[in-house]
Amino acid sequence: MKANDNINKQFYNYLWAYILVALSGCLGNVVDGIIVGNLVGEDGVSAINLSKPINQFIFTLHLLINAGAGMLVAYALGKGDLAEARRFFTRALVLSLGLGLVLAVVGGLLFPNATARMLCSNEQILPLARDYMQVLLLGNPAFILMWGLSTMVGVDGKPKLVSLAVIVDNVVNLLLDIVFIQWMGWGITGSSAATVVGHLVGIAILLTHWRQPENRRLVPVFSFNAILDSWRRIVSQGAPLAIASISLTLLLLSANTIVLSILGRTGIFAFAVCMNLLQVYNLFLSGTCQTLQSLGAIQVGKGDADGLRMVLRKAFRFITVAMIVTCVLVWVWPEGIVRLFGASDAAFVSEGCLALRIFALSFIPFCYIYVLMIVYKLYSQHRMALFISFALSLTVIPVLWLMARWAPSYLWYSYLVAYLVEVIAIFLLHHATHAKFELKVSKLQ
């Protein structure tokens, strides 16, 4: 009974800490869009949305490196193997900074114009998109390092410090939005610059974790022993989440292109508002998944099957209630949400309300599928996890294309149809492969 009480306490400590992290990020992104919409205009909101594939790609690098390493560090800490935990921490730190610098040079310094044109075909929005993207790329090492350190500090038992760092990060971002955009006249460039500065402040707060001697379990150990093996295991562990993120990047790129070509500026604005709605769902999804990754991996490391099942039950119960409440609120108040983003034209408001109500339903199966991918990974069902990684977003692209070609008036239903198809496919594949949710500790390595 005491063990269950301890897991229950740990679950909610992790969950609410990560919820605060996600809430801060959600408010940062959504309020950022609201500020840009009111200070720059509807095209500014669209420019940020057209830049999201870049943001998602940067986040993919973080998932590939730090999500995988974080689960392995948690597993090592569960076993009490500090040497192995430090080795994975070091590899993740080196990879994060190295890839971040490469992306900054290539995308931010050498080819900013080509990158912008690849993502935006509308000449009216293109200058705004280009200015926003360039600063985003130049500051991407701060993005990756902030997310990476957040993962490691949380796994090391200090999720509250992660919450503090992310909250301050986003507060600084929002305050500097107004300073840079309005007072200093930087326009949309000020929005991305404020985000980078906010991340730098967040990194400084996270680094205070290592000031206390008792918090120095995870320290860099620059040894060349088993380097290739460590990196292979890190990438392998983070692959399902990274593939899901790459698929989402391709989906965002495809969806932006299709919506812009079929529905024009009105449609791309409505889609941008819906992507901000996804941030609200991500508030609960991110908190749930990070709790599963951290606390669930620790239970796997201990070989505690009952503890893992308890964590899973609580996670699914929480995400269900959160999604139902969010969906109801969107259905009751869609116009108010659209107008928050600076929409005043009746056409923008009407299209935004229609899209919001449909996407509010569409994101429910998306959240369940994403959480299920984490569950398969924890139970070492790697093939099922990889299948979901690929299917999660790539299924939407052909459905979106078919809808745009044969039923453009039903374009907004593409996501809902695709996710329901994925649910059926996962169910059939699970039974066809005789997948079982049985704890296999040795295979997490």
Side-chain angles (χ1 to χ4, degrees):
M1 191 67 180
K2 289 184 178 180
N4 287 345
D5 290 341
N6 185 49
I7 291 175
N8 184 66
K9 181 180 179 181
Q10 283 184 310
F11 178 84
Y12 286 108
N13 281 341
Y14 274 93
L15 180 65
W16 293 118
Y18 285 132
I19 286 289
L20 284 175
V21 170
L23 175 61
S24 179
C26 170
L27 289 176
N29 287 320
V30 173
V31 177
D32 191 42
I34 292 172
I35 292 173
V36 170
N38 285 275
L39 295 183
V40 180
E42 290 104 334
D43 286 343
V45 178
S46 300
I48 292 177
N49 192 64
L50 290 168
S51 304
K52 283 188 183 298
I54 290 179
N55 218 346
Q56 192 63 38
F57 179 72
I58 297 170
F59 190 62
T60 299
L61 295 179
H62 153 67
L63 289 175
L64 184 64
I65 300 166
N66 296 300
M71 292 183 75
L72 290 167
V73 167
Y75 176 69
L77 291 176
K79 293 193 304 179
D81 190 342
L82 287 183
E84 185 174 72
R86 289 171 176 173
R87 186 169 69 252
F88 286 126
F89 171 67
T90 304
R91 304 297 175 253
L93 186 65
V94 171
L95 279 172
S96 294
L97 291 175
L99 290 178
L101 289 173
V102 170
L103 189 59
V105 172
V106 174
L109 290 178
L110 300 180
F111 305 107
N113 294 323
T115 303
R117 286 199 170 275
M118 180 177 65
L119 300 178
C120 179
S121 59
N122 186 286
E123 293 298 326
Q124 189 171 344
I125 303 175
L126 181 61
L128 294 172
R130 189 266 184 198
D131 291 345
Y132 186 84
M133 290 180 198
Q134 185 172 26
V135 177
L136 190 71
L137 285 164
L138 289 173
N140 92 88
F143 281 59
I144 300 178
L145 187 59
M146 173 64 189
W147 289 325
L149 289 178
S150 296
T151 298
M152 297 304 173
V153 172
V155 166
D156 202 23
K158 294 296 186 294
K160 291 182 180 179
L161 180 60
V162 176
S163 300
L164 175 64
V166 176
I167 290 170
V168 173
D169 174 339
N170 283 283
V171 169
V172 171
N173 174 20
L174 296 178
L175 291 176
L176 290 182
D177 263 345
I178 299 173
V179 173
F180 290 166
I181 296 174
Q182 189 169 32
W183 295 355
M184 299 185 69
W186 290 3
I188 199 169
T189 302
S191 177
S192 48
T195 303
V196 174
V197 175
H199 282 321
L200 292 173
V201 173
I203 290 170
I205 293 173
L206 289 171
L207 289 176
T208 63
H209 174 69
W210 284 274
R211 291 179 60 184
Q212 302 298 325
E214 64 269 20
N215 294 334
R216 293 175 185 170
R217 292 196 302 172
L218 292 182
V219 293
V221 180
F222 296 102
S223 167
F224 289 97
N225 294 329
I227 287 181
L228 292 178
D229 178 60
S230 296
W231 287 4
R232 180 189 61 79
R233 291 169 66 188
I234 288 171
V235 172
S236 174
Q237 194 68 24
L241 293 175
I243 291 171
S245 185
I246 291 172
S247 300
L248 185 56
T249 303
L250 295 174
L251 173 57
L252 284 170
L253 180 59
S254 301
N256 281 336
T257 302
I258 292 172
V259 171
L260 190 59
S261 63
I262 299 296
L263 300 176
R265 291 173 60 228
T266 304
I268 199 64
F269 172 78
F271 186 59
V273 175
C274 290
M275 290 300 100
N276 278 281
L277 171 63
L278 178 58
Q279 295 292 330
V280 178
Y281 280 85
N282 188 60
L283 156 66
F284 308 112
L285 180 62
S286 177
T288 303
C289 288
Q290 289 191 67
T291 300
L292 278 178
Q293 288 177 194
S294 298
L295 189 55
I298 290 173
Q299 304 311 309
V300 173
K302 293 178 179 178
D304 187 353
D306 291 335
L308 179 57
R309 283 193 292 269
M310 183 178 178
V311 172
L312 295 177
R313 283 196 301 270
K314 289 182 174 298
F316 275 101
R317 189 182 307 146
F318 175 80
I319 197 70
T320 299
V321 174
M323 288 188 299
I324 291 173
V325 172
T326 303
C327 189
V328 170
L329 289 175
V330 172
W331 269 75
V332 170
W333 197 46
E335 184 175 340
I337 297 172
V338 175
R339 290 189 181 278
L340 277 176
F341 289 88
S344 55
D345 186 278
F348 282 86
V349 174
S350 176
E351 193 70 36
C353 289
L354 173 64
L356 268 178
R357 282 180 163 162
I358 297 171
F359 273 88
L361 293 174
S362 304
F363 291 145
I364 292 177
F366 168 81
C367 289
Y368 277 126
I369 293 169
Y370 201 96
V371 173
L372 189 59
M373 179 177 62
I374 306 296
V375 175
Y376 278 119
K377 191 64 182 173
L378 287 170
Y379 279 104
S380 299
Q381 297 291 338
H382 303 302
R383 292 183 180 179
M384 287 297 301
L386 283 171
F387 171 76
I388 295 175
S389 299
F390 281 109
L392 196 59
S393 297
L394 294 183
T395 307
V396 181
I397 296 176
V399 174
L400 192 64
W401 183 83
L402 290 171
M403 288 284 198
R405 183 174 178 84
W406 302 107
S409 59
Y410 294 97
L411 186 64
W412 298 129
Y413 288 92
S414 302
Y415 279 69
L416 181 58
V417 172
Y419 292 142
L420 293 178
V421 169
E422 288 173 29
V423 170
I424 296 171
I426 292 168
F427 176 81
L428 294 175
L429 187 61
H430 179 94
H431 287 278
T433 58
H434 305 288
K436 295 181 180 180
F437 292 128
E438 296 178 348
L439 196 58
K440 300 176 181 178
V441 178
S442 62
K443 292 191 177 181
L444 185 62
Q445 301 180 67

